[in-house]
């Protein structure tokens, strides 16, 4: 796919040459530069003043050793990362991912996406991301605690409530955030809002747990309404069964939809009667079991191994909420053939580029991740505000803010798409609207 601007095409070639063997990062940059071609045609100063070149180069990458000892006395050495990509509009903000697939390219792709997502929320937060190739699965609480303490013993030097505020992501939930925050507090001897997604007893925000999944449904609801459709009575398929997936399931059901399938990395559950959410939450949030355990108490449901098969199930709305590139062209074709009318990305970049092209060409409503899943980071920013004020808002207050932010975000992306000649294309609209605020700020600062 060539970018319709000669300078940006050359820039893309340089990104590939300077960041070899990082296909996810290339994919994320290409999508954004493709959308920004009409913007730089109208505003050539973004190229002339070096904004585009700076945009694709992280301000800073921190890479470090994370040694820890397991319960049997064996020593392990993992790798930790923090990419501080862009602080033009606020302190770096973005999650930490603990998963064996993590390497520098994954963190760079996520950090790059985060710049535009954070800008889209309308809140003053820059883009960053971090993580480790550590796998919390199968580890004891003590081992996870030791790992988190070792990770923070290095990371604490580079973060702070006005500098960089990490949060959770895949493999980093409330348990990990607790260990990380405890270690930061011990090392700095200060109690500040340096992490978000904290427990309610020590500075967390109500509704942060629900925010990404709920926000995804608020955004999708706006997109559906604009097209004269709704969640009401629709059949929904969701991939994943983690934080985003569980609360997307909850809100979709509250909007009157029937969620019939969810998955994990081993396989998927199809329950034609509708997913039993309290059971799913218990299995995943409390007992940390595989999704296959669902059929122990629901023998009428089906369990299938292999997570990609979930997209073969007929549905009106598909919400990919697991991981990057999990929904490919073949899956997109199956969704289209089965009458799917909307796909909204809860995970970061879950649809491959050819899948997105196929869905859009078939007239399927498509909500890109950096807009649709921005509710999590938006609510993290609300947690930062509450921490700064030393104050708490009620669940309803935070949820009201979230719904308004997602509604504004939808209109902002949709208006930008129309203004730059691609009405209805929320991929282009989100990239353009997210970029403009960051680009204007970078122009204002001059070359540094
Ligand atoms: P969790 O760790 O809570 O859940 C991840 C889910 O995805 C699990 O069900 C996991 O299954 C599944 N999964 C992970 N890797 C794979 C894989 N390679 N193939 C298939 N399934 C996989 O993470 P979150 O719910 O927090 O995050 C999910 C996605 O949403 C990520 O892309 C994340 O970046 C994005 N996101 C999260 C936000 C948040 O607030 N949490 C905010 C914005 C985006 P298993 O348990 O078997 O590994």
């Amino acid at each position: 796919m060539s970018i319709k601007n000669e300078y940006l095409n050359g820039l893309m070639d340089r990104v590939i040459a300077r960041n070899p063997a990082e296909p996810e990062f290339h994919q994320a940059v290409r999508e954004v530069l493709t959308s920004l071609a009409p913007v730089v045609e109208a505003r050539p100063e973004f190229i002339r003043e070096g904004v585009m070149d700076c945009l694709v180069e992280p301000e800073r990458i921190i890479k470090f050793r994370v040694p820890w000892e397991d319960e049997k006395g064996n020593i392990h050495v993992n790798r930790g990362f923090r990419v501080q990509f862009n602080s033009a509009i606020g302190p770096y903000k973005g999650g930490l991912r603990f998963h064996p697939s993590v390497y520098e390219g994954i963190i760079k792709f996520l950090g790059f996406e985060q710049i535009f997502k954070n800008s889209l929320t309308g809140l003053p937060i820059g883009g960053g991301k971090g993580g480790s190739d550590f796998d919390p699965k199968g580890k004891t609480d003590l081992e996870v605690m030791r790992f988190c303490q070792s990770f923070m013993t290095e990371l604490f030097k580079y973060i702070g409530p006005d500098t960089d505020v990490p949060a959770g992501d895949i493999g980093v939930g409330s348990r990990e955030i607790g260990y990380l925050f405890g270690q930061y507090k011990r090392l700095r001897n200060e109690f500040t809002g340096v992490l978000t997604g904290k427990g309610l007893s020590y500075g967390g925000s109500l509704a942060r747990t629900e925010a990404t999944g709920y926000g995804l449904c608020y955004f999708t609801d706006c997109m559906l309404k604009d097209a004269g459709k709704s969640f009401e009575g629709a059949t929904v398929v969701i991939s994943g069964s983690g934080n985003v997936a569980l609360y997307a399931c909850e809100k979709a059901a509250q909007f009157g939809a029937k969620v019939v399938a969810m998955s994990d990395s081993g396989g998927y559950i199809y329950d034609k009667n509708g997913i039993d959410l309290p059971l799913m939450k218990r299995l995943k949030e409390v007992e940390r079991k595989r999704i296959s355990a669902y059929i122990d108490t629901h023998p009428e449901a089906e369990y299938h191994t292999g997570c990609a098969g979930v997209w073969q199930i007929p549905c009106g709305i598909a919400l990919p909420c697991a991981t990057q590139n999990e929904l490919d062209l073949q899956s997109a074709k199956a969704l289209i053939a089965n009458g799917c009318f909307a796909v909204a990305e809860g995970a970061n970049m879950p649809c491959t580029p050819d899948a997105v092209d196929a869905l859009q060409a078939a007239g399927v409503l498509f909500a890109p991740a950096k807009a649709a899943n921005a509710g999590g980071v938006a609510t993290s920013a609300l947690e930062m505000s509450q921490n700064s004020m030393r104050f708490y808002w009620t669940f309803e207050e935070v949820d009201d803010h979230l719904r308004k932010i997602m509604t504004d975000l939808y209109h902002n992306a949709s208006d930008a798409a129309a203004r730059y000649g691609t009405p209805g294309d929320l991929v282009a609209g989100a990239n353009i609207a997210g970029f403009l605020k960051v680009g204007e700020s970078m122009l204002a600062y001059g070359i540094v």
Side-chain angles (χ1 to χ4, degrees):
M1 180 177 52
S2 107
I3 302 166
K4 293 198 181 91
N5 176 277
E6 205 184 321
Y7 187 85
L8 296 185
N9 248 319
L11 180 59
M12 188 66 232
D13 290 343
R14 292 199 293 286
V15 166
I16 294 169
R18 280 158 73 91
N19 304 274
E22 295 182 355
E24 298 86 0
F25 180 51
H26 306 163
Q27 184 181 332
V29 173
R30 182 179 294 283
E31 186 208 274
V32 170
L33 294 187
T34 302
S35 299
L36 295 184
V39 177
V40 298
E41 295 287 340
R43 303 276 309 275
E45 65 272 28
F46 284 128
I47 291 176
R48 200 175 57 236
E49 302 296 324
V51 169
M52 304 313 293
D53 285 67
C54 283
L55 192 69
V56 296
E57 191 67 33
E59 289 174 21
R60 195 172 299 105
I61 301 180
I62 301 137
K63 190 169 166 182
F64 50 98
R65 181 173 71 196
V66 191
W68 58 279
E69 187 180 353
D70 69 23
E71 294 225 42
K72 296 192 181 102
N74 302 311
I75 309 296
H76 302 263
V77 180
N78 285 95
R79 216 169 240 188
F81 303 90
R82 187 73 185 165
V83 175
Q84 298 181 332
F85 220 117
N86 191 305
S87 60
I89 62 166
Y92 309 104
K93 180 95 199 80
L96 297 171
R97 176 178 291 191
F98 292 169
H99 193 271
S101 64
V102 164
Y103 75 107
E104 198 169 314
I106 292 276
I107 300 298
K108 270 155 76 179
F109 122 63
L110 291 164
F112 183 71
E113 293 277 288
Q114 201 79 44
I115 302 170
F116 310 96
K117 180 187 309 194
N118 292 3
S119 166
L120 279 166
T121 65
L123 299 166
I125 39 179
K129 197 83 187 188
S132 172
D133 55 1
F134 173 75
D135 188 357
K137 258 196 234 113
K139 306 289 189 300
T140 64
D141 285 352
L142 182 75
E143 290 168 339
V144 171
M145 181 185 78
R146 284 178 178 165
F147 174 82
C148 289
Q149 291 179 342
S150 179
F151 185 88
M152 186 52 86
T153 299
E154 184 60 25
L155 187 69
F156 90 101
K157 300 168 192 166
Y158 310 101
I159 63 175
D162 295 318
T163 311
D164 184 354
V165 184
D169 190 81
I170 292 179
V172 179
S174 56
R175 174 183 59 170
E176 289 76 15
I177 292 289
Y179 294 145
L180 290 163
F181 184 76
Q183 184 70 350
Y184 182 90
K185 191 170 75 61
R186 181 180 301 136
L187 291 166
R188 280 259 192 250
N189 193 28
E190 62 183 34
F191 196 112
T192 55
V194 68
L195 290 166
T196 56
K198 299 186 291 299
L200 294 178
S201 61
Y202 61 95
S205 172
L206 287 161
R208 174 59 187 94
T209 305
E210 294 81 358
T212 309
Y214 277 24
L216 171 67
C217 292
Y218 293 149
F219 186 95
T220 307
D221 184 49
C222 291
M223 178 176 79
L224 292 170
K225 278 189 181 138
D226 245 7
K229 298 185 188 300
S230 117
F231 269 111
E232 184 72 45
T235 301
V236 176
V237 164
I238 298 179
S239 64
S241 46
N243 173 264
V244 180
L246 288 172
Y247 292 93
C249 178
E250 183 162 287
K251 186 52 74 178
Q254 284 173 13
F255 276 149
K258 181 153 95 171
V259 180
V260 295
M262 293 182 81
S263 65
D264 65 16
S265 58
Y268 65 92
I269 289 290
Y270 172 57
D271 188 340
K272 63 179 184 334
N273 300 319
I275 290 287
D276 176 347
L277 186 60
L279 170 64
M280 194 62 94
K281 279 188 181 174
R282 183 158 54 77
L283 291 175
K284 287 297 178 178
E285 291 184 323
V286 183
E287 298 172 4
R288 297 179 190 272
K289 285 194 174 154
R290 308 307 299 155
I291 205 168
S292 51
Y294 185 95
I295 53 170
D296 295 346
T297 48
H298 283 277
E300 73 288 0
E302 298 169 20
Y303 173 72
H304 299 269
T305 52
C307 38
V310 76
W311 307 121
Q312 305 294 325
I313 299 169
C315 66
I317 301 170
L319 304 176
C321 295
T323 194
Q324 65 274 357
N325 292 327
E326 52 158 316
L327 196 165
D328 62 7
L329 179 60
Q330 199 193 347
S331 301
K333 284 182 177 164
L335 286 170
I336 294 163
N338 286 329
C340 173
F341 56 83
V343 174
E345 296 185 316
N348 283 311
M349 208 168 76
C351 300
T352 59
D354 51 3
V356 178
D357 290 346
L359 292 166
Q360 288 183 320
V364 175
L365 301 170
F366 182 75
K370 60 172 76 70
N373 73 19
V377 73
T379 307
S380 277
L382 300 178
E383 182 174 330
M384 289 164 71
S385 305
Q386 293 170 82
N387 292 163
S388 298
M389 292 191 292
R390 305 255 191 265
F391 192 70
Y392 290 98
W393 292 325
T394 63
F395 187 99
E396 289 69 28
E397 284 172 310
V398 179
D399 192 35
D400 283 351
H401 277 300
L402 171 65
R403 189 162 192 161
K404 180 170 185 327
I405 287 168
M406 297 311 292
T407 304
D408 291 349
L409 201 162
Y410 171 75
H411 291 295
N412 197 2
S414 169
D415 293 351
R419 211 165 51 247
Y420 282 89
T422 49
D425 182 349
L426 293 172
V427 174
N431 287 331
I432 293 169
F435 165 74
L436 282 172
K437 201 167 111 183
V438 174
E440 298 290 2
S441 307
M442 291 170 78
L443 274 182
Y445 298 145
I447 302 159
V448 278

